[in-house]
Amino acid sequence: GCDGVGKSTLAASLRHIIPMYTADELIVIEPNLFEGSSKARVLGEKFRRKRAGLTDEDINHYFLAACQFNYQGVVYPAIERGARVVLISSDLRALAFTIAERSKNMAAYTREVIRRGTLTRGLQPKYRCILESEPDALLERVKARGSGDDVFDPITLRDYQRRIEGLEDAVLYI
């Protein structure tokens, strides 16, 4: 889903909906953020220092790298020890961003990364849930929460329409 649709809210509520699992048994992570693994956090610090001078292509590479680090440092180890893992967003979100930004080269590169399983080692979800909402409602939610550190939140209705179109195209890819 797009920014403001409620992915993080849904993730936070999973602990209450599925109380039978401990924090070690149920891992909830948004792998394409600079959180989760120590390598992703270090990368996030580097990204924040350089952000102003980065191109959209650079930004995409940072987010794909964060995704890969989080799979390596959090997702795979959790699965190997028998935990259930809920991914909030995925490498498809990076693809949706590249499509929305109208970058054919970035989209082609990201599709190839996904196709090869570079980030996920071919790991496929058992279930996939796509959250949707109207662009004007999404824009209001993002404005209400404030963008904070997320400079990539869409800020106009047209930005949201492009992101939704990008997400729809990315979903068709799976």
Side-chain angles (χ1 to χ4, degrees):
C2 282
D3 306 271
V5 77
K7 297 180 304 292
S8 297
T9 302
L10 177 62
S13 68
L14 284 175
R15 290 268 171 241
H16 303 292
I17 296 170
I18 313 174
M20 68 192 96
Y21 296 112
T22 66
D24 287 334
E25 296 170 325
L26 179 67
I27 307 300
V28 180
I29 183 172
E30 190 163 351
N32 56 343
L33 293 185
F34 302 117
E35 307 168 351
S37 72
S38 58
K39 285 185 176 181
R41 287 189 293 278
V42 169
L43 183 67
E45 289 303 315
K46 182 178 177 183
F47 171 78
R48 284 177 197 65
R49 286 192 305 273
K50 295 183 169 195
R51 177 170 53 196
L54 297 175
T55 66
D56 284 344
E57 188 171 330
D58 294 333
I59 291 166
N60 188 52
H61 285 291
Y62 269 92
F63 280 94
L64 289 174
C67 191
Q68 185 172 21
F69 290 153
N70 284 323
Y71 268 85
Q72 290 170 348
V74 177
V75 175
Y76 300 137
I79 290 171
E80 287 167 5
R81 70 172 187 271
R84 285 157 173 77
V85 178
V86 177
L87 301 174
I88 305 301
S89 198
S90 68
D91 46 358
L92 287 177
R93 186 163 164 103
L95 178 57
F97 174 78
T98 63
I99 293 169
E101 295 304 313
R102 306 285 195 257
S103 175
K104 290 182 181 177
N105 290 339
M106 267 195 318
Y109 170 79
T110 306
R111 279 188 186 95
E112 185 62 18
V113 165
I114 293 169
R115 186 190 67 74
R116 278 195 236 143
T118 304
L119 307 179
T120 63
R121 287 194 278 180
L123 182 66
Q124 293 295 313
K126 185 171 183 177
Y127 304 104
R128 192 179 299 269
C129 177
I130 306 296
L131 303 178
E132 296 179 339
S133 187
E134 294 299 317
D136 53 344
L138 295 170
L139 188 57
E140 288 304 313
R141 282 191 210 121
V142 166
K143 284 180 181 178
R145 78 175 183 206
S147 63
D149 196 34
D150 191 353
V151 296
F152 305 107
D153 279 346
I155 56 173
T156 69
L157 197 54
R158 182 65 194 130
D159 290 340
Y160 261 108
Q161 290 165 334
R162 284 185 20 222
R163 289 279 176 95
I164 289 170
E165 291 165 8
L167 186 61
E168 288 169 349
D169 288 349
V171 168
L172 291 175
Y173 181 74
I174 56 174

